[in-house]
Amino acid sequence: MGRHRLFAAAASAALLSATLVAGSAQAAADKGPEVSEIVVTAQRLDAALQTIEPSLGATAFAMSQSFVTNLPGGANTQLNQVILQAPGVTQDGFGQLHVRGDHANLQYRLNNVILPEGLAVFGQTLSPRLASNIELITGALPAQYGLRTAGIINITTKSGFKTGGEASIYGGGHGVISPSLEYGTTVGANSAFVSASYTDTDVGIESPDGRARPVHDHSQQGQVFGFFDHIIDDSSRLSLILGTSLQTFEIPNTPGLHPDLGLTVRGQTDDLSDGLNERQREGTSYAIATYLKTTDQFTAQASLFARYSTLSFRPDGLGDLLFAGIAQDARKQDAAAGLQAEGVYNLSDAHTLRGGVVVQGDRATSKTSSQVLGLDANGDQIGDTPLTIADQARRTSWTYSVFLQDEWKLADSLTLNYGLRYDALSSFRKEDQLSPRVNLVWTPADGATLHVGYARYFTPPPYELVASETVAKFVGTTAEAPGSANTTPYSERTHYFDIGAQQKFGGVTLGVDAYYKQIKHMLDEGQFGAPIILTPFNYDQGYVKGVELTAAYERGAFSTYANLAASKAQGKDIISSEFNFDPADLAYIAGHYIYVDHDQTYTASAGASYRWGGTRLSGDVLYGSGLRKDGAVPNGGKLDPYTQVNLSVSHGFEDGALKGVSVRADLINAFDEKYLIRDGSGVGVGAPQYGPRRGMFVGLTKAF
């Protein structure tokens, strides 16, 4: 009941806020011309903001609000499902995404401001509902982008410059029920946009056995978001972003299993897996305050950002001990805050200078309490009363970044963007790197663009996930690690090469992009142990290479897109967090390149939408050739390929008593293809996970 009250309170607060703002808007209803002037000023300031951080030379895939609406599920779907429509994005279990062969290494931004990483594993902190545009930026990135470089996911939030909102209810298959509310308005020089949503579902995490409704997989998820903007004058403004999310998950069970470790706990030797009761809770709150100033020659933006996240795992005391030899209660907290200040100066018609600085601090706390059983020198159990091992750690990390670059227009059709970026890490290790960046962009004819680029990247391990557990405490117990070496993870260092071309003619856009990454201390992540918390580790050497093909067409009421990507990612010699791995695997990998567990050779996505009057028909397709699994060597095999088809139909009433009402019906995995995302084998892979089974969902929305 406590969680229900919390979600209800959050939604009520958002509704109250929207109501108060709406009341203020009604009081200012006679100020139409003044509001129009404010909107024009805001649009000009938005355009000035874009000049600070253009993705010149990189590869960008934009997904507008209408793109999201056209997808089956629309704004009710999770953000990771939207991003899967972009080229080179591979799905994994727990909602994880892999872009161009990287495990994670994604940076999320709101209105170009960095949102620090948090502790979420299953939960989605951000919702497509708050976005007016979602852009995935990849390739040889300009110098303003750093630390997380596989992909920049920049979300342009909705604003309150269009007064109005909507309330909706959505649900159907898999026990899903999801109410939501959003509203925006402008009052004088102030605007606001707020949204709130809640989801209750019986499939919170991917099914471990392929069932449409897994055993013990209930989840509750709530999100609240607010954007507030104040126009100071025609050249400056202040804005504030506030958000929070809270998710609770039951860890799903594979029914019909019995323990096979031969352990005894307080006289009991058996426990059916159906009744296991593991749970995980994740929460995140974030805030961003921004000041923007622009003149004819200079534009600058300074932002303060903060994020606080928590993660807790509650085990099944008896069951976890019998099945895994450890029942661990784990609690993690991470608080991050920082400053991002950037600017652009138009030096001349040929040269545009950009520079900036980013400073971020993290404070992480980890506490675990583990129930284990003692073992003698021969590995036999000593007694059946569990031992308690407590472990905790508190640590602080700082990152410092500065960049300077010049956009040099060599000719009307030829631009060179070059610069330097310096990153320093003071954390588990003290590391730094000076990283050159260069991109050449040529537009030989209308609609044609060619680019070639090089970037040096410096990627610290995800600080909040670095294991803090004391390995020696578990020696002589049922939770003793396979090894004892526990080298602290290193920062990844990459040479990145990218070349691509794009051609537009009529309503058609075609693109091709190829890349190669040579990597020192290649980062990866794995799930080790019962708590569903990922742990980073390094391969000493690694590489990723691939090519992406894209196509899009839009004419009138019809639009379509298709993406195809081929990739190969391999690493050699695991050199950190070694205690998690089987010694035989470590010995083999030390002398051989192996596929990383998240490698997928072919990935494709496609979609189409057609609007006829107030009715819209749409669909999308996801294809994957299969992630890796163990074979004759670690990660030597691959799972079977899959194709998931999703369909949607919606209708908006434009006249009469139902004006402002829209209805939709979505069919997810229309052909009910039962496919594995993971089979539970592979380096750093935990339990099996299946893709979603067929589900029918309906929604009703009322605009106001």
Side-chain angles (χ1 to χ4, degrees):
M1 291 298 292
R3 288 191 296 272
H4 285 292
R5 288 197 296 269
L6 177 58
F7 289 136
S12 299
L15 178 60
L16 177 60
S17 175
T19 304
L20 293 174
V21 173
S24 300
Q26 183 63 41
D30 297 331
K31 297 185 179 181
E34 180 180 329
V35 171
S36 298
E37 292 174 8
I38 293 297
V39 172
V40 171
T41 299
Q43 292 172 340
R44 185 162 51 79
L45 293 174
D46 287 340
L49 172 61
Q50 297 306 312
T51 67
I52 298 178
E53 292 196 353
S55 55
L56 186 67
T59 301
F61 187 84
M63 294 165 279
S64 65
Q65 184 177 345
S66 60
F67 180 96
V68 174
T69 301
N70 290 344
L71 294 175
N76 301 287
T77 193
Q78 293 189 327
L79 180 60
N80 67 313
Q81 295 296 316
V82 176
I83 299 170
L84 279 174
Q85 303 302 319
V89 183
T90 301
Q91 74 166 327
D92 201 345
F94 307 149
Q96 296 177 88
L97 300 174
H98 307 301
V99 176
R100 291 193 169 190
D102 272 83
H103 182 274
N105 195 17
L106 299 174
Q107 183 179 96
Y108 288 83
R109 293 185 171 211
L110 295 176
N111 299 335
N112 275 323
V113 181
I114 296 170
L115 182 64
E117 294 177 85
L119 290 167
V121 176
F122 308 128
Q124 300 284 312
T125 300
L126 303 173
S127 167
R129 198 175 305 281
L130 61 88
S132 65
N133 188 68
I134 302 169
E135 188 175 38
L136 174 63
I137 306 169
T138 60
L141 302 175
Q144 69 263 26
Y145 300 117
L147 301 181
R148 298 287 172 255
T149 52
I152 309 298
I153 300 171
N154 184 40
I155 299 174
T156 303
T157 64
K158 295 178 182 177
S159 68
F161 293 112
K162 182 179 179 181
T163 297
E166 61 181 39
S168 68
I169 185 73
Y170 184 79
H174 313 312
V176 171
I177 182 70
S178 181
S180 63
L181 171 72
E182 62 181 67
Y183 188 80
T185 192
T186 299
V187 180
N190 305 294
S191 70
F193 170 80
V194 295
S195 71
S197 63
Y198 169 75
T199 299
D200 191 286
T201 175
D202 288 334
V203 187
I205 304 172
E206 292 90 352
S207 172
D209 60 358
R211 298 186 183 205
R213 297 179 76 161
V215 175
H216 194 263
D217 197 13
H218 188 253
S219 174
Q220 297 173 313
Q221 305 169 32
Q223 298 169 324
V224 178
F225 173 83
F227 173 78
F228 309 93
D229 188 88
H230 173 67
I231 305 296
I232 299 173
D233 53 41
D234 61 1
S235 66
S236 58
R237 74 175 176 196
L238 288 169
S239 62
L240 177 66
I241 290 173
L242 298 172
T244 189
S245 65
L246 179 63
Q247 298 101 8
T248 61
F249 300 92
E250 294 178 341
I251 308 302
N253 301 331
T254 302
L257 301 181
H258 295 269
D260 60 3
L261 296 180
L263 300 176
T264 302
V265 179
R266 297 189 178 93
Q268 189 161 341
T269 60
D270 195 15
D271 189 38
L272 190 62
S273 61
D274 302 50
L276 292 175
N277 187 26
E278 297 176 332
R279 298 172 181 267
Q280 189 149 304
R281 185 175 185 268
E282 302 173 8
T284 293
S285 296
Y286 56 90
I288 298 173
T290 300
Y291 172 72
L292 174 70
K293 177 68 177 180
T294 185
T295 66
D296 291 339
Q297 277 191 297
F298 179 70
T299 299
Q301 177 172 277
S303 302
L304 296 173
F305 56 81
R307 176 171 178 165
Y308 176 73
S309 59
T310 63
L311 182 152
S312 61
F313 174 85
R314 194 183 75 186
D316 182 291
L318 174 64
D320 281 15
L321 268 171
L322 290 174
F323 276 95
I326 180 173
Q328 184 177 85
D329 186 289
R331 302 176 186 273
K332 285 178 171 278
Q333 298 177 340
D334 183 74
L339 166 69
Q340 178 180 339
E342 299 167 317
V344 54
Y345 180 71
N346 298 314
L347 185 63
S348 66
D349 291 340
H351 292 276
T352 300
L353 301 180
R354 294 181 176 87
V357 60
V358 181
V359 178
Q360 180 177 318
D362 282 79
R363 178 67 171 172
T365 301
S366 174
K367 296 181 180 180
T368 62
S369 178
S370 305
Q371 297 286 304
V372 297
L373 298 168
L375 300 177
D376 63 21
N378 296 319
D380 297 323
Q381 181 178 339
I382 303 172
D384 64 354
T385 300
L387 310 173
T388 300
I389 298 177
D391 205 359
Q392 60 181 342
R394 294 181 177 85
R395 289 172 290 198
T396 302
S397 175
W398 289 92
T399 56
Y400 309 89
S401 304
V402 60
F403 72 90
L404 180 65
Q405 61 186 338
D406 175 28
E407 181 183 329
W408 183 8
K409 200 167 185 62
L410 301 171
D412 288 343
S413 62
L414 191 63
T415 301
L416 179 69
N417 192 53
Y418 64 99
L420 285 172
R421 180 184 180 95
Y422 175 74
D423 296 293
L425 172 69
S426 177
S427 183
F428 303 102
R429 295 182 179 275
K430 291 185 180 296
E431 300 177 287
D432 63 352
Q433 181 174 288
L434 184 65
S435 305
R437 310 282 180 89
V438 59
N439 278 291
L440 186 65
V441 181
W442 182 37
T443 53
D446 288 344
T449 303
L450 291 89
H451 70 266
V452 59
Y454 164 79
R456 181 83 164 120
Y457 291 148
F458 174 80
T459 304
Y463 166 77
E464 68 282 357
L465 298 181
V466 174
S468 58
E469 205 163 71
T470 306
V471 179
K473 289 187 175 183
F474 294 89
V475 173
T477 74
T478 49
E480 181 174 347
S484 58
N486 186 21
T487 306
T488 301
Y490 300 86
S491 294
E492 179 180 288
R493 301 171 189 269
T494 302
H495 295 283
Y496 196 114
F497 304 88
D498 185 275
I499 184 170
Q502 186 180 81
Q503 177 67 59
K504 297 181 180 180
F505 50 93
V508 178
T509 302
L510 300 175
V512 59
D513 202 89
Y515 59 90
Y516 177 76
K517 296 185 277 186
Q518 185 64 46
I519 307 168
K520 178 68 173 175
H521 297 159
M522 183 184 197
L523 277 168
D524 201 349
E525 295 175 15
Q527 182 212 328
F528 307 101
I532 315 299
I533 300 171
L534 301 179
T535 299
F537 62 93
N538 298 93
Y539 294 91
D540 182 56
Q541 303 286 339
Y543 70 89
V544 185
K545 58 183 178 180
V547 62
E548 297 171 354
L549 303 175
T550 61
Y553 175 74
E554 184 171 0
R555 183 172 182 178
F558 178 74
S559 65
T560 186
Y561 64 92
N563 306 302
L564 174 64
S567 176
K568 182 178 182 180
Q570 290 193 311
K572 177 182 178 182
D573 192 9
I574 294 175
I575 58 170
S576 65
S577 304
E578 302 95 331
F579 71 94
N580 292 295
F581 300 92
D582 182 271
D585 286 348
L586 283 177
Y588 180 85
I589 299 168
H592 301 81
Y593 275 96
I594 66 166
Y595 288 96
V596 296
D597 69 280
H598 55 269
D599 173 82
Q600 181 164 272
T601 305
Y602 300 108
T603 303
S605 60
S609 174
Y610 178 73
R611 188 177 182 89
W612 180 50
T615 301
R616 181 178 61 249
L617 302 174
S618 63
D620 65 55
V621 180
L622 295 175
Y623 169 83
S625 62
L627 297 175
R628 308 306 301 188
K629 65 177 182 178
D630 280 340
V633 300
N635 295 343
K638 74 177 189 67
L639 297 172
D640 293 335
Y642 64 87
T643 302
Q644 180 180 318
V645 178
N646 308 310
L647 302 173
S648 178
V649 59
S650 62
H651 182 80
F653 296 91
E654 301 174 353
D655 301 299
L658 294 179
K659 182 178 181 180
V661 174
S662 61
V663 293
R664 70 179 302 142
D666 301 312
L667 188 61
I668 304 302
N669 195 356
F671 301 106
D672 199 24
E673 179 162 354
K674 184 178 178 180
Y675 66 91
L676 274 166
I677 301 174
R678 293 286 193 182
D679 74 345
S681 73
V683 177
V685 178
Q689 290 121 23
Y690 281 80
R693 298 295 298 274
R694 179 168 53 208
M696 180 72 181
F697 305 89
V698 295
L700 174 67
T701 301
K702 176 65 172 75
F704 54 89

